[in-house]
Amino acid sequence: MADKKIKLYSSPGCQYCILAEEFLRGKGVDFEKIDISQNPEMAQEMIQKTGQMGVPVIEMPTGEIMVGFDQLELEKFFS
């Protein structure tokens, strides 16, 4: 599981997606950014996993999923 990356499902123009990406970069986290506007299969994967159509969605290597950007919750994961 150590080699699995965090997945960040996002779309262009989404301010919370930008904040999530900046947060992860600021923590030096290796993550895979998935633009759901360009990848319908990954958009469907995100919807199946969360039941939500909104972004950002952050999927941790542990399988834990966060819908939206909540910096305080993310800080807990990285502390």
Side-chain angles (χ1 to χ4, degrees), residues 20-43:
E21 184 174 353
E22 288 174 353
F23 174 86
L24 294 171
R25 287 192 196 288
K27 293 290 184 182
V29 174
D30 190 22
F31 65 95
E32 176 185 5
K33 181 178 174 183
I34 301 165
D35 180 353
I36 63 164
S37 71
Q38 298 297 314
N39 192 331
E41 292 92 15
M42 295 305 282

Short mmCIF file of all heavy atoms in Angstrom, two decimals, residues 20-43:
data_model
loop_
_atom_site.label_atom_id
_atom_site.label_comp_id
_atom_site.label_asym_id
_atom_site.label_seq_id
_atom_site.Cartn_x
_atom_site.Cartn_y
_atom_site.Cartn_z
N ALA A 20 -7.14 22.31 -2.65
CA ALA A 20 -6.73 20.96 -2.27
C ALA A 20 -5.38 20.63 -2.89
O ALA A 20 -4.49 20.08 -2.21
CB ALA A 20 -7.78 19.95 -2.72
N GLU A 21 -5.20 20.97 -4.15
CA GLU A 21 -3.93 20.71 -4.83
C GLU A 21 -2.80 21.49 -4.17
O GLU A 21 -1.72 20.94 -3.92
CB GLU A 21 -4.05 21.08 -6.30
CG GLU A 21 -2.82 20.74 -7.10
CD GLU A 21 -2.99 20.98 -8.59
OE1 GLU A 21 -4.11 21.28 -9.06
OE2 GLU A 21 -1.96 20.86 -9.28
N GLU A 22 -3.04 22.76 -3.86
CA GLU A 22 -2.01 23.57 -3.19
C GLU A 22 -1.66 22.99 -1.82
O GLU A 22 -0.50 22.98 -1.42
CB GLU A 22 -2.48 25.01 -3.07
CG GLU A 22 -2.49 25.75 -4.38
CD GLU A 22 -3.09 27.15 -4.28
OE1 GLU A 22 -3.63 27.52 -3.21
OE2 GLU A 22 -3.04 27.88 -5.30
N PHE A 23 -2.67 22.53 -1.10
CA PHE A 23 -2.43 21.94 0.21
C PHE A 23 -1.54 20.71 0.08
O PHE A 23 -0.55 20.57 0.80
CB PHE A 23 -3.76 21.55 0.88
CG PHE A 23 -3.58 20.81 2.17
CD1 PHE A 23 -3.40 21.50 3.36
CD2 PHE A 23 -3.53 19.43 2.20
CE1 PHE A 23 -3.20 20.81 4.56
CE2 PHE A 23 -3.34 18.73 3.38
CZ PHE A 23 -3.17 19.43 4.57
N LEU A 24 -1.89 19.81 -0.83
CA LEU A 24 -1.11 18.58 -1.00
C LEU A 24 0.32 18.88 -1.44
O LEU A 24 1.28 18.29 -0.92
CB LEU A 24 -1.80 17.65 -1.99
CG LEU A 24 -3.15 17.09 -1.54
CD1 LEU A 24 -3.84 16.37 -2.69
CD2 LEU A 24 -3.00 16.17 -0.34
N ARG A 25 0.47 19.80 -2.37
CA ARG A 25 1.83 20.19 -2.82
C ARG A 25 2.62 20.79 -1.65
O ARG A 25 3.80 20.52 -1.49
CB ARG A 25 1.76 21.17 -3.98
CG ARG A 25 1.33 20.53 -5.27
CD ARG A 25 1.57 21.48 -6.46
NE ARG A 25 0.84 21.06 -7.63
CZ ARG A 25 1.12 20.01 -8.38
NH1 ARG A 25 2.13 19.24 -8.05
NH2 ARG A 25 0.40 19.72 -9.44
N GLY A 26 1.95 21.63 -0.87
CA GLY A 26 2.61 22.26 0.27
C GLY A 26 3.08 21.25 1.31
O GLY A 26 4.06 21.49 2.01
N LYS A 27 2.39 20.13 1.40
CA LYS A 27 2.79 19.06 2.32
C LYS A 27 3.82 18.12 1.69
O LYS A 27 4.28 17.18 2.34
CB LYS A 27 1.57 18.24 2.76
CG LYS A 27 0.59 19.00 3.61
CD LYS A 27 1.18 19.26 4.97
CE LYS A 27 0.20 19.94 5.89
NZ LYS A 27 0.78 20.25 7.19
N GLY A 28 4.14 18.35 0.41
CA GLY A 28 5.09 17.48 -0.27
C GLY A 28 4.53 16.11 -0.58
O GLY A 28 5.28 15.13 -0.67
N VAL A 29 3.22 16.04 -0.74
CA VAL A 29 2.54 14.76 -0.95
C VAL A 29 2.55 14.40 -2.43
O VAL A 29 2.26 15.24 -3.29
CB VAL A 29 1.08 14.86 -0.45
CG1 VAL A 29 0.30 13.61 -0.79
CG2 VAL A 29 1.06 15.13 1.04
N ASP A 30 2.87 13.15 -2.71
CA ASP A 30 2.81 12.62 -4.07
C ASP A 30 1.37 12.22 -4.34
O ASP A 30 0.81 11.40 -3.62
CB ASP A 30 3.75 11.41 -4.17
CG ASP A 30 3.94 10.93 -5.60
OD1 ASP A 30 3.71 11.72 -6.54
OD2 ASP A 30 4.31 9.76 -5.77
N PHE A 31 0.76 12.83 -5.36
CA PHE A 31 -0.64 12.53 -5.65
C PHE A 31 -0.88 12.50 -7.15
O PHE A 31 -0.12 13.05 -7.93
CB PHE A 31 -1.59 13.53 -4.97
CG PHE A 31 -1.48 14.94 -5.47
CD1 PHE A 31 -2.34 15.40 -6.45
CD2 PHE A 31 -0.53 15.81 -4.96
CE1 PHE A 31 -2.25 16.71 -6.92
CE2 PHE A 31 -0.43 17.11 -5.41
CZ PHE A 31 -1.30 17.56 -6.39
N GLU A 32 -1.96 11.84 -7.52
CA GLU A 32 -2.39 11.76 -8.90
C GLU A 32 -3.59 12.69 -9.08
O GLU A 32 -4.61 12.50 -8.43
CB GLU A 32 -2.78 10.33 -9.25
CG GLU A 32 -3.34 10.15 -10.64
CD GLU A 32 -3.82 8.74 -10.91
OE1 GLU A 32 -3.82 7.89 -10.00
OE2 GLU A 32 -4.23 8.50 -12.05
N LYS A 33 -3.45 13.69 -9.94
CA LYS A 33 -4.55 14.61 -10.21
C LYS A 33 -5.34 14.07 -11.39
O LYS A 33 -4.79 13.81 -12.46
CB LYS A 33 -4.00 16.00 -10.53
CG LYS A 33 -5.07 17.02 -10.79
CD LYS A 33 -4.44 18.38 -11.07
CE LYS A 33 -5.47 19.39 -11.47
NZ LYS A 33 -4.84 20.68 -11.80
N ILE A 34 -6.63 13.91 -11.19
CA ILE A 34 -7.51 13.36 -12.22
C ILE A 34 -8.53 14.42 -12.60
O ILE A 34 -9.38 14.80 -11.79
CB ILE A 34 -8.22 12.09 -11.71
CG1 ILE A 34 -7.18 11.04 -11.30
CG2 ILE A 34 -9.18 11.56 -12.76
CD1 ILE A 34 -7.74 9.92 -10.47
N ASP A 35 -8.45 14.90 -13.84
CA ASP A 35 -9.38 15.91 -14.35
C ASP A 35 -10.60 15.17 -14.89
O ASP A 35 -10.56 14.60 -15.99
CB ASP A 35 -8.70 16.73 -15.44
CG ASP A 35 -9.60 17.80 -16.03
OD1 ASP A 35 -10.81 17.84 -15.70
OD2 ASP A 35 -9.09 18.60 -16.85
N ILE A 36 -11.68 15.19 -14.13
CA ILE A 36 -12.86 14.42 -14.53
C ILE A 36 -13.56 15.02 -15.75
O ILE A 36 -14.33 14.34 -16.41
CB ILE A 36 -13.87 14.24 -13.37
CG1 ILE A 36 -14.41 15.58 -12.90
CG2 ILE A 36 -13.24 13.45 -12.24
CD1 ILE A 36 -15.66 15.47 -12.06
N SER A 37 -13.27 16.28 -16.08
CA SER A 37 -13.88 16.88 -17.26
C SER A 37 -13.27 16.31 -18.55
O SER A 37 -13.87 16.39 -19.60
CB SER A 37 -13.73 18.40 -17.25
OG SER A 37 -12.39 18.79 -17.48
N GLN A 38 -12.08 15.75 -18.43
CA GLN A 38 -11.39 15.18 -19.58
C GLN A 38 -11.41 13.65 -19.59
O GLN A 38 -10.93 13.03 -20.54
CB GLN A 38 -9.92 15.65 -19.60
CG GLN A 38 -9.76 17.14 -19.73
CD GLN A 38 -10.31 17.66 -21.06
OE1 GLN A 38 -10.05 17.10 -22.11
NE2 GLN A 38 -11.09 18.72 -21.00
N ASN A 39 -11.92 13.05 -18.51
CA ASN A 39 -11.86 11.61 -18.39
C ASN A 39 -13.19 11.07 -17.83
O ASN A 39 -13.34 10.91 -16.62
CB ASN A 39 -10.68 11.23 -17.47
CG ASN A 39 -10.37 9.77 -17.50
OD1 ASN A 39 -11.23 8.93 -17.73
ND2 ASN A 39 -9.10 9.45 -17.26
N PRO A 40 -14.15 10.79 -18.72
CA PRO A 40 -15.47 10.34 -18.27
C PRO A 40 -15.43 9.04 -17.46
O PRO A 40 -16.23 8.86 -16.55
CB PRO A 40 -16.25 10.14 -19.57
CG PRO A 40 -15.49 10.83 -20.63
CD PRO A 40 -14.08 10.95 -20.16
N GLU A 41 -14.49 8.15 -17.79
CA GLU A 41 -14.40 6.89 -17.04
C GLU A 41 -14.02 7.15 -15.58
O GLU A 41 -14.58 6.55 -14.67
CB GLU A 41 -13.39 5.92 -17.67
CG GLU A 41 -13.81 5.38 -19.01
CD GLU A 41 -13.31 6.21 -20.17
OE1 GLU A 41 -12.39 7.04 -19.99
OE2 GLU A 41 -13.85 6.04 -21.28
N MET A 42 -13.09 8.07 -15.38
CA MET A 42 -12.68 8.39 -14.01
C MET A 42 -13.77 9.17 -13.28
O MET A 42 -13.93 9.03 -12.08
CB MET A 42 -11.36 9.16 -14.02
CG MET A 42 -10.19 8.34 -14.54
SD MET A 42 -9.96 6.76 -13.68
CE MET A 42 -9.17 7.31 -12.19
N ALA A 43 -14.53 9.97 -14.02
CA ALA A 43 -15.67 10.66 -13.41
C ALA A 43 -16.69 9.65 -12.90
O ALA A 43 -17.20 9.77 -11.78
CB ALA A 43 -16.32 11.61 -14.42
#
